[in-house]
Amino acid sequence: MSTSLANAVRELEARRAALEAELEKVNARLKLIGSALGDGDVQETPSASVPRRTVGKTGKKLKVHRWFEQGEALALMRKLIKKPMRPVEVINALAEAKGYAGKLQGMDRNRFNWAVISALKAATDAKQLIKHKDGRVSVPR
């Protein structure tokens, strides 16, 4: 009976460790999405492996990088989109217009891409851009 109990405890501990690792991955993705959206209020949630007393005691603030000023992304998209374009083409055009083309690497490039995708979604939701059935976007005339 004690071996079956020990096995059950071992399995539960392994499951807990796997869940903690998965939770940390999800938290990292949420932080990335929050920074891409420009949300300065992204808060770190304590994980089960970090003692409660150490979370939030560092005093460091999350630095938010704003890729575009208020309304700048839409203004640039209105200038650059002359014909229906795929979102990837819009990302490349905006990167070139802002001077980021070929200069961003890794995470910064991903963050810029998500910032443009978020701006595209917001603009199509606000009816500032039209999204066609084939996925291309254009400026309403």
Side-chain angles (χ1 to χ4, degrees), residues 18-30 47-50:
L19 288 172
E20 284 178 0
E22 187 176 349
L23 180 62
E24 298 223 355
K25 287 179 186 177
V26 169
N27 282 336
R29 287 182 188 163
L30 287 174
S47 68
S49 63
V50 178

Side-chain angles (χ1 to χ4, degrees), residues 18-39 42-45 62 107 110-111 114-115 118:
L19 288 172
E20 284 178 0
E22 187 176 349
L23 180 62
E24 298 223 355
K25 287 179 186 177
V26 169
N27 282 336
R29 287 182 188 163
L30 287 174
K31 283 184 202 175
L32 179 63
I33 291 169
S35 65
L37 293 174
D39 185 11
V42 176
Q43 296 179 354
E44 183 172 313
T45 56
L62 179 65
M107 283 300 245
N110 290 339
R111 288 182 180 133
W114 277 108
S118 297

Side-chain angles (χ1 to χ4, degrees), residues 21-135:
E22 187 176 349
L23 180 62
E24 298 223 355
K25 287 179 186 177
V26 169
N27 282 336
R29 287 182 188 163
L30 287 174
K31 283 184 202 175
L32 179 63
I33 291 169
S35 65
L37 293 174
D39 185 11
D41 297 331
V42 176
Q43 296 179 354
E44 183 172 313
T45 56
S47 68
S49 63
V50 178
R52 226 176 233 288
R53 64 186 176 275
T54 62
V55 175
K57 298 281 185 184
T58 60
K60 293 181 182 177
K61 293 234 177 194
L62 179 65
K63 183 174 165 72
V64 176
H65 185 280
R66 303 265 183 210
W67 295 101
F68 301 101
E69 296 295 324
Q70 179 108 15
E72 180 187 13
L74 180 61
L76 283 173
M77 283 188 276
R78 286 181 149 299
K79 286 180 185 176
L80 296 173
I81 300 175
K82 300 296 182 192
K83 59 181 178 153
M85 297 174 76
R86 294 187 343 236
V88 172
E89 295 168 331
V90 175
I91 290 171
N92 293 336
L94 283 176
E96 193 171 318
K98 292 285 287 184
Y100 296 137
K103 296 181 182 173
L104 297 177
Q105 298 295 320
M107 283 300 245
D108 285 337
R109 184 178 54 219
N110 290 339
R111 288 182 180 133
F112 179 77
N113 291 352
W114 277 108
V116 174
I117 289 170
S118 297
L120 280 170
K121 181 163 177 29
T124 55
D125 289 347
K127 307 286 191 230
Q128 298 294 321
L129 294 177
I130 298 171
K131 185 171 183 179
H132 301 281
K133 289 182 181 180
D134 63 354

